[in-house]
Amino acid sequence: MSADGDQGRGVVPTELAGLDGEADFGETAQTLYATDASIYRVEPAGVVWPASATDVQRTLRFARDAGTSVVARGAGSSLTGNAVGEGIVLDCSRHFDEIVSIDPEAQTVTVQPGVVLAELNDTLAEHGLYFPPDPSTSTTCTVGGMVANDAAGPHSVRHGTTRDNVNQVECLLPDGTAGTFERVDGERLDAELARDDRVGDLYRTVVDLAGEHADEIDHRYPDVDRNSSGYDLESCVASDGSWVDLSNLLVGSEGTLGIVTEVTLELTERPETRAAALIFYDDVRGAADAVTDALTADPSAVELVDDAVLEHAREAWGIDLVPAAAGAALLVEVECDASEQDRRLDEVVVAGRTETTVAVERAVADEKQDRLWRVRKASNPLLNRRPDDEQALSFVEDAAIPPEKLPAYLDRVADILADHGLDASVFGHAGQGVLHVKPFLDLKNEADRERLQSVSDAVHDVVLDVGGAVSGEHGDGRLRSEYLPEMYGETLYEAFKTIKRTVDPEDVCNPTKVVPDSTGELAHVAEALRYDDYDPQDVETMLDFDDEHGFGSLVEQCNGCSKCRTAEGGVMCPSYRATGEEVTSTRGRANALRDAIDGELGEDALTSDWFQEEVLDLCLSCKACETECPTGVDMAKLKTEAKHQKHEEDGVPLSARLFGNVRTLNRVGSALAPVANQLVEFGLGRVVAEKTLGIDRRRSLPEFASESLLDRVAARDAKPTAGDRGTVVLYPDCYTTYNHPAVGMAVVRVLEELGYAVDIQDVNCCGRPALSQGMVETAQADAAENIETLRERAEDVPVLSLEPSCASALEEYDDLVADPAPVSDTADTVAGFLFDEVVTGDLSLSEEADRSVAYHSHCHATARGRDHAPVGLLRQVGYDVTPVDATCCGMAGAFGYETDHYELSMDLGTNLAAKLDEVDADVVAASGASCSQQLSDCDVETRHPMELLAEVVA
């Protein structure tokens, strides 16, 4: 299909028309769902988003009749490739996500498979309960995916895996037969065994196999706490045959035996308190040696990190509690009553201390515990943010080893890696012997693809030799299924195949995973890799991508982990949160970009109308992905470059020229006020603007000030003490200068009152509006002139902006010009500068305010780690500030003004307004002009934080 052709939903089969949910068999959907968080790529036939069990049943029926298959999928966050396949991907996360019922007394909850774990636990919190398995993807992973893969997480030491916390599973078998699977005995068991359908067939087969192969099961299943390999014949039938629990079989079966439609989970009371100790050792082996003793303290978690992670925590994050001599550490946590925290930590330290212990950090207070856990969590940014073709890959990282054998296992794995000339990082769930060993490989390189297979074979031989399980959490999928015959032996492997053939002789459900399909095909480690036959075009860019090793390399940084699908917490990804559509997530756009530059989507796909509109258009360029994406995929930068490429071919549209030159527009509007303001409010003028420029007539427009900030500053008398603390350059942004000069004057008063001389120059636009429109040359010209204007002053003093987006634009001048220093080096927000002055002790503020404030931070401030500064300053002077956890306001510069974006923009704005209203504060503060404009359209009056500061300070 050509890039200019129909990239829409394709031809949806008649049998799937009229679903409660939706179906999409178009090329874009096939691209978006060809990958998950694994190293694999398999293009599906189409995608179905079911909204009911009936939808699932119809999809299974169609797949059987059409001779294709169904692959169930949640967030697509698993690492083994068990959520990709050639048939129909059944994405349960969009609609099939209801919490059906909660029984606090019985401590159970019943949910549909698309419910996200973090959202479930938020709902359960009011009952003092939670579902304890806690994989690192808890903000995005779905319960259905957890059931499929028997997910666990760090606290499985105490609370077990998903299988240990499932009460009942409702499932549709591949032929559409519905079954409710739980522990049954007596007459109920007899009734199930007597059923004349696939459910009865499954019961009879499993009972027969468990009885026939009892000795082999006892001998072959590894003695480890976490085993998500193969089918669980070990725990689904009582040794005396008195009961059967096929929910244990379905959990961890990776959707190969049927599709889960509902699951009842067993819940746990939230612990009263936790306490933690970070015990440092000479090296990784010393830490591994200490694990079995640490387990005697009855911990809730025992996590290991290596020297690379510790160094990253110490050097990159400035966590000073990490001693220089430490080569590894164990993070040991306990759950206990508040009165027992110190005693329990004493037990932990005594149990975990060895002769190789370097130091110990104890934590009782929540803040200190968060710091210790942050050291453990340093592993992801360390490994995922290497801007290089070599990446830390997940292919030998999930084995479960008996903890007492971890030291020997690590020694042998180190030898294998050395033989192959590879580096790796080691961290993970040491308490249950599940260590994430992640070698660095470039799978675009044929030699490294060969090393992938060789290392995988060698490491898994060691796993089996020490009595481990090849998968401790994520299942087998494409990554480990080929090792199951060796792990379980021929007899049990044949039993697994018998189970599969009993319920799925037509190979409908996720074929070739766990066992071969009816043709004998089985998934293999080094087949269907994401970068097989990958040959991307070299994109010549106008922006500088040297730090990212090129446009394509930045696209390829996306590993598919699903972090951009979070519904709460952080900012990323606002358009996904509003629509729930994969194409609007950072991962979705990255997948489409990768296929575009590889030619999978046709010639010149990147600059085609459909790609620009369907894939890139709803990106708000909030910049959150630059920091919140674990791999640092800066989609705003990629979008800017892609839009520039489009303009190179087709020219710059009039609307883009208008929005990209907003400083000129505002300057002219200010000079012509109040006539310009009347035109802005004139009904016919709004209609014309909508027809010609795409500015939605429902959107209110900012009013122009008749006297600009530059004029007001020039006419004032500076405070006599201004300059006692030195000088700052105040960057006069487009909106403060020409639309909201009163806010700018409030800042000038604050700075002068605090002793700073304020220098304001008549500068060009920062370049952010032009970049948002793909007008890179315009932004380059603005940047060059601003640097020339400010260079001399910026050598000695900071360049401060009220607008966080302007501050971030100044910092990004190295993408536009060869020598952006010193402007980009000294750029900051006013709030960021003042808060740093307070923190260092150079500035003190007195508490005088007594009002409560609900605060919304600008996306760019959050992305650059500056969202704390306005909050901190206002608290310093006495305000009671509550930051609101919300994504982008939805305005995003010009985005919210455009007719095509208005509905999505207002959805985001309305959501933000509701969260601000929940705070019930005296005043609402927002640090961006766009945010204030959006909230005004949502009937929320706002103040700039610096205005509130001025009320106290100036």
Side-chain angles (χ1 to χ4, degrees), residues 112 217 232 242 304 308 327 375 453 486 501 619 646 658 787 870 909:
Q112 292 177 334
I217 290 170
D232 186 10
S242 61
L304 182 147
V375 174
Q453 181 75 61
E486 185 178 357
R501 297 280 76 78
C619 171
K646 175 69 170 174
L658 174 73
I787 291 170

Side-chain angles (χ1 to χ4, degrees), residues 162-199:
T162 297
R163 181 181 286 120
D164 300 315
N165 295 275
V166 165
N167 180 281
Q168 181 187 91
V169 174
E170 291 192 13
C171 180
L172 286 172
L173 298 184
D175 72 336
T177 303
T180 299
F181 301 99
E182 59 187 332
R183 183 165 172 159
V184 295
D185 55 19
E187 293 182 358
R188 171 77 187 279
L189 176 57
D190 292 340
E192 297 292 351
L193 288 168
R195 287 178 61 158
D196 186 22
D197 59 11
R198 288 269 177 96
V199 171

Side-chain angles (χ1 to χ4, degrees), residues 446-509:
E446 184 177 352
D448 274 8
R449 291 198 292 272
E450 293 174 358
R451 286 201 286 182
L452 172 81
Q453 181 75 61
S454 178
V455 170
S456 180
D457 291 346
V459 169
H460 286 107
D461 282 346
V462 175
V463 170
L464 299 181
D465 190 51
V466 299
V470 297
S471 177
E473 184 170 18
H474 294 112
D476 301 309
R478 306 194 68 85
L479 198 59
R480 290 183 273 265
S481 291
E482 68 178 84
Y483 300 114
L484 296 183
E486 185 178 357
M487 176 177 170
Y488 285 106
E490 182 179 345
T491 298
L492 289 184
Y493 195 61
E494 285 299 317
F496 292 167
K497 290 194 282 188
T498 299
I499 292 171
K500 173 70 171 177
R501 297 280 76 78
T502 297
V503 295
D504 193 15
E506 300 95 346
D507 289 321
V508 172
C509 285

Side-chain angles (χ1 to χ4, degrees), residues 231-442:
Y231 296 139
D232 186 10
L233 278 171
E234 186 178 35
S235 67
C236 62
V237 180
S239 58
D240 61 359
S242 61
W243 56 261
V244 175
D245 189 350
L246 292 190
S247 71
N248 284 346
L249 180 75
L250 292 168
V251 176
S253 64
E254 305 177 48
T256 60
L257 302 179
I259 308 298
V260 173
T261 57
E262 204 166 273
V263 58
T264 299
L265 308 172
E266 297 174 357
L267 305 176
T268 299
E269 292 184 5
R270 291 177 178 270
E272 179 179 334
T273 59
R274 290 182 169 124
L278 193 58
I279 308 174
F280 299 97
Y281 302 89
D282 286 340
D283 54 28
V284 167
R285 201 183 196 286
D289 267 327
V291 170
T292 51
D293 287 338
L295 289 171
T296 63
D298 189 25
S300 53
V302 180
E303 298 289 294
L304 182 147
V305 292
D306 68 3
D307 57 341
V309 174
L310 293 179
E311 183 179 359
H312 183 79
R314 183 175 54 242
E315 301 297 332
W317 285 0
I319 300 179
D320 54 8
L321 57 81
V322 179
L330 290 181
L331 175 60
V332 186
E333 181 195 82
V334 292
E335 296 176 357
C336 55
D337 295 335
S339 61
E340 296 184 324
Q341 286 178 302
D342 289 329
R343 179 184 66 79
R344 294 288 283 115
L345 278 186
D346 288 342
E347 294 174 352
V348 165
V349 172
V350 169
R353 190 186 294 276
T354 70
E355 59 186 25
T356 67
T357 300
V358 173
V360 176
E361 283 286 340
R362 301 161 55 106
V364 172
D366 290 344
E367 183 179 351
K368 181 74 175 291
Q369 289 189 61
D370 288 344
R371 291 187 74 208
L372 298 194
W373 274 101
R374 195 173 181 221
V375 174
R376 161 64 177 88
K377 293 174 181 177
S379 55
N380 282 330
L382 167 67
L383 297 179
N384 292 331
R385 285 180 172 266
R386 286 174 42 136
D388 198 351
D389 289 336
E390 277 194 355
Q391 296 295 317
L393 299 182
S394 300
F395 67 101
V396 291
E397 55 78 49
D398 200 33
I401 308 299
E404 68 275 11
K405 296 183 179 180
L406 276 177
Y409 170 72
L410 288 173
D411 285 346
R412 294 174 67 179
V413 170
D415 289 341
I416 292 169
L417 295 174
D419 289 344
H420 288 82
L422 296 177
D423 294 323
S425 184
V426 180
F427 62 95
H429 316 309
Q432 291 197 301
V434 180
L435 290 182
H436 303 317
V437 179
K438 295 199 172 190
F440 292 93
L441 288 170
D442 173 14

Side-chain angles (χ1 to χ4, degrees), residues 810-834:
L810 297 176
E811 290 175 311
E812 293 170 16
Y813 276 3
D814 57 346
D815 290 337
L816 298 170
V817 296
D819 182 17
V823 174
S824 59
D825 295 337
T826 61
D828 201 347
T829 59
V830 175
F833 168 76
L834 289 178

